Amino acid sequence: MNDAYKNVHPFLIECAAEAARVARGVTAERLSDPTHCPGWDVRALVNHWVLYTSHGLEHRARRMTLPEELTARDFTADPDWAQAYADQLDRAVAAWDDPAAWEGEIDLGMAKTPAAELAPMLVKELAVHGWDVAVATGQEYRVSEAAARLILDVVETHGDLYRQYDGFAAPVPVPADTPVFARALAASGRNPRQGRAGEVDH
């Protein structure tokens, strides 16, 4: 069995479950609120989050391109979008539960990346954007220390690449004793003091 599958898939499960929990805490009244992402309200942030961390997550596993209908959809127009998101997350995690999904390469459009290398980056997307939504809607995002260490490694390893495509801002300085997930957020250009980032031991 692929080592990446054994080492990373549990964090996909964990971060997907936390994303679903955060989604259920987003009320319709918050969708027009501003966020810490320049030019994005909560609705725009949620639509990006849902598209790439659930539909995109499944499509990567199945080596499929996201259809235009999905990229243009306002997921929040459905009053039950949070449940639909949770259901799609379940499908995405199930797609990655096939060890074959971790073999070979995934075409990202500009380049092909080994699936085993891309998967930790997808965990990072789930967690970091989950934190973005949680902060924008007055919630806490919780992640295990083990998952936080994986996310920090991804951010530190690929930070320059993300900044090249405007995915990250410049790192935010934090004290050396800052918790692991908050350090990952800071390294991605986010200010962890803007919200609550809890780590749990499991």
Side-chain angles (χ1 to χ4, degrees), residues 22-33 42 46 81 137 139:
V22 169
R24 293 187 180 100
V26 179
T27 62
E29 293 76 21
R30 301 300 295 259
L31 292 174
S32 59
D33 286 357
V42 170
V46 164
W81 70 265
T137 56
Q139 302 182 70

Side-chain angles (χ1 to χ4, degrees), residues 148 152 172 174 178-187 190-193 197 199:
L152 177 61
V172 174
V174 291
T178 298
V180 179
F181 186 51
R183 282 163 51 201
L185 293 167
R190 290 161 170 82
N191 184 350
R193 300 178 189 85
E199 288 178 26

Side-chain angles (χ1 to χ4, degrees), residues 28-52:
E29 293 76 21
R30 301 300 295 259
L31 292 174
S32 59
D33 286 357
T35 72
H36 55 282
C37 303
W40 286 29
D41 61 10
V42 170
R43 185 186 308 278
L45 178 58
V46 164
N47 279 324
H48 179 85
W49 183 46
V50 170
L51 176 64
Y52 289 105

